[in-house]
Amino acid sequence: MTKTFVLLPMLAATLLAHAAGDFTTIRRTSTSLSDSTPRLLINFTLPSNVNVSSSTSNSAVLDLEVLGSEFNFNEVYINPPTTVCTSNDTDANQTRSIGILQEHDDTSLKTEWATNHIAFSSGFLVAGTNQLMVCVRSFTGAAGPSVGNLDNISLRSVVLHYHTQ
């Protein structure tokens, strides 16, 4: 009986240690996006032993805090094929999208920072230099500085959790 009680905590500790993986802080300071700055590009570096498997057990997670996201089409990309934000219906970067920022159009939430937690395939990552891109769009999903009326948001505390081999 004693062996069972000892093995279970050891097994749980091993699984938790594996689940934690590694992380890198991509951005700590606040950055605002709007009509005048419709896109955020951040380069970050991952080690040579980053696990780029597409298996679910090796998923990566991006955590970021967002303030003021009211529209449904503000999107996040990892290593996009272009660095141009295009409209949602003609999105040239869709193959590298990891998700949409949560909208908070409720009056009481508009002035509060909201944590976005996006799990995605580690297959989007590469060893060495990577790029994170965030595009803000209009209420209809239009993009670009000439569109006007793009969502006004702020981002901070961008952290990437990933596995190594």
Side-chain angles (χ1 to χ4, degrees), residues 3-126:
K3 290 180 183 178
T4 304
F5 291 115
V6 171
L7 289 177
L8 287 175
M10 287 175 54
L11 178 61
T14 302
L15 291 173
L16 287 174
H18 180 68
D22 291 302
F23 72 93
T24 185
T25 301
I26 296 174
R27 165 92 26 132
R28 290 176 61 184
T29 58
S30 179
T31 301
S32 295
L33 299 174
S34 63
D35 290 350
S36 59
T37 310
R39 170 194 73 179
L40 175 64
L41 289 173
I42 305 172
N43 291 322
F44 61 96
T45 304
L46 294 176
S48 60
N49 65 340
V50 64
N51 192 325
V52 295
S53 166
S54 61
S55 72
T56 301
S57 63
N58 288 310
S59 294
V61 176
L62 185 71
D63 287 321
L64 59 152
E65 290 185 307
V66 180
L67 176 68
S69 183
E70 294 185 57
F71 301 156
N72 292 321
F73 300 106
N74 301 320
E75 201 154 2
V76 182
Y77 306 88
I78 296 287
N79 296 320
T82 77
T83 57
V84 177
C85 294
T86 55
S87 295
N88 189 59
D89 60 350
T90 60
D91 189 356
N93 299 304
Q94 191 57 49
T95 60
R96 301 306 281 187
S97 172
I98 62 168
I100 302 287
L101 297 176
Q102 297 170 358
E103 84 170 287
H104 291 278
D105 54 5
D106 181 280
T107 303
S108 63
L109 295 176
K110 286 181 184 181
T111 59
E112 295 181 10
W113 288 92
T115 300
N116 282 244
H117 181 86
I118 304 171
F120 64 97
S121 170
S122 294
F124 282 62
L125 302 171
V126 296

Side-chain angles (χ1 to χ4, degrees), residues 133-155:
M133 181 168 80
V134 179
C135 295
V136 292
R137 294 190 173 111
S138 72
F139 181 76
T140 62
S146 62
V147 170
N149 198 28
L150 299 178
D151 210 355
N152 297 315
I153 70 169
S154 294
L155 297 166

